[in-house]
Amino acid sequence: MEKFLLILCLATAINNFAQNIKIADSEHIYVFTRSTTHKKGFIAEDFNIKDSLSTHVGIGFFENGKFNVYNVDNVKKSLNQSSLIREDYSSFINLNNIYHSAIWSYRTNKLKINTLKDALNQYEKQIILFDKDFRLDNEATKLYCSEFVFLILGEIGISTNFKPVKKELTSFYKSFFKRSTIEYIPVDFFTELDGFVMLEQKFYK
């Protein structure tokens, strides 16, 4: 009986994902989020606007039957040793401690999709370093995940109305960031913009 239920659950999950793939198309921009078990309880709650789960974000498009996800990762590196990774969605969520993931879509047109691809290609030619200081005023090649997504959306005129969040830091975060305030782009900043719709979300544990 347990084996039957397991097979049924897997079949349902695969079917649901297949349905989402069917409604994904080349005239949407996609934003991808995920959270891990050791960050969701405090990082997301302390720094996100509304989302108490997501701790990492990427952006991309749907092409040739799959999602192409671009994200600035603090662990993974590309072949040219850049922190900007291009991967498919299954790789994006392939973490031992993953807790939650979600796909958001923004309907646009082919012209903006081409602008998106051009912007991503330009960043991919650079060596992007993960910005452990989480600053907006340092080198253009030092970025963190949400800052990168914010800049890409800005290239196509979507994130222009969003203003960075300024926050007073607690003593714990002061010791980590070596400053008393932080001005930053939250992981869930895009949820404050008109037009983004959640396509799917999934809990893993």
Side-chain angles (χ1 to χ4, degrees), residues 18-173:
Q19 291 299 318
N20 287 330
I21 291 295
K22 287 177 182 177
I23 62 174
D25 61 45
S26 59
E27 292 192 4
H28 281 83
I29 293 167
Y30 296 93
V31 169
F32 310 87
T33 62
R34 72 185 186 212
S35 65
T36 54
T37 52
H38 67 282
K39 287 184 179 179
K40 67 178 179 64
F42 64 103
I43 298 292
E45 290 180 0
D46 290 345
F47 291 98
N48 286 355
I49 301 170
K50 298 174 184 175
D51 183 349
S52 62
L53 296 172
S54 300
T55 56
H56 187 66
V57 62
I59 189 170
F61 51 88
F62 187 78
E63 188 174 65
N64 298 325
K66 69 174 184 178
F67 290 113
N68 292 271
V69 185
Y70 293 74
N71 62 110
V72 175
D73 197 286
N74 67 334
V75 177
K76 295 180 184 178
K77 293 287 181 70
S78 67
L79 292 177
N80 65 347
Q81 294 302 300
S82 174
S83 292
L84 174 58
I85 307 297
R86 172 165 51 99
E87 57 191 343
D88 61 25
Y89 185 62
S90 61
S91 177
F92 179 76
I93 61 174
N94 185 24
L95 299 172
N96 291 331
N97 60 345
I98 191 166
Y99 176 79
H100 174 265
S101 66
I103 302 174
W104 295 74
S105 66
Y106 180 95
R107 185 164 186 81
T108 185
N109 54 57
K110 289 184 179 179
L111 179 61
K112 285 196 173 182
I113 293 295
N114 288 334
T115 303
L116 169 72
K117 291 178 180 179
D118 289 343
L120 292 170
N121 286 336
Q122 289 303 312
Y123 273 98
E124 207 171 12
K125 292 176 183 177
Q126 304 176 57
I127 307 297
I128 302 299
L129 303 176
F130 184 82
D131 184 8
K132 296 179 180 179
D133 295 322
F134 291 86
R135 292 187 179 275
L136 298 174
D137 57 355
N138 51 14
E139 300 95 318
T141 54
K142 290 185 71 174
L143 302 170
Y144 53 91
C145 65
S146 51
E147 182 185 10
F148 170 69
V149 174
F150 173 77
L151 291 173
I152 291 296
L153 289 177
E155 294 273 357
I156 49 181
I158 294 178
S159 65
T160 52
N161 291 328
F162 184 84
K163 304 301 180 187
V165 172
K166 192 169 184 178
K167 184 182 181 73
E168 293 284 336
L169 296 172
T170 63
S171 57
F172 172 78
Y173 291 116

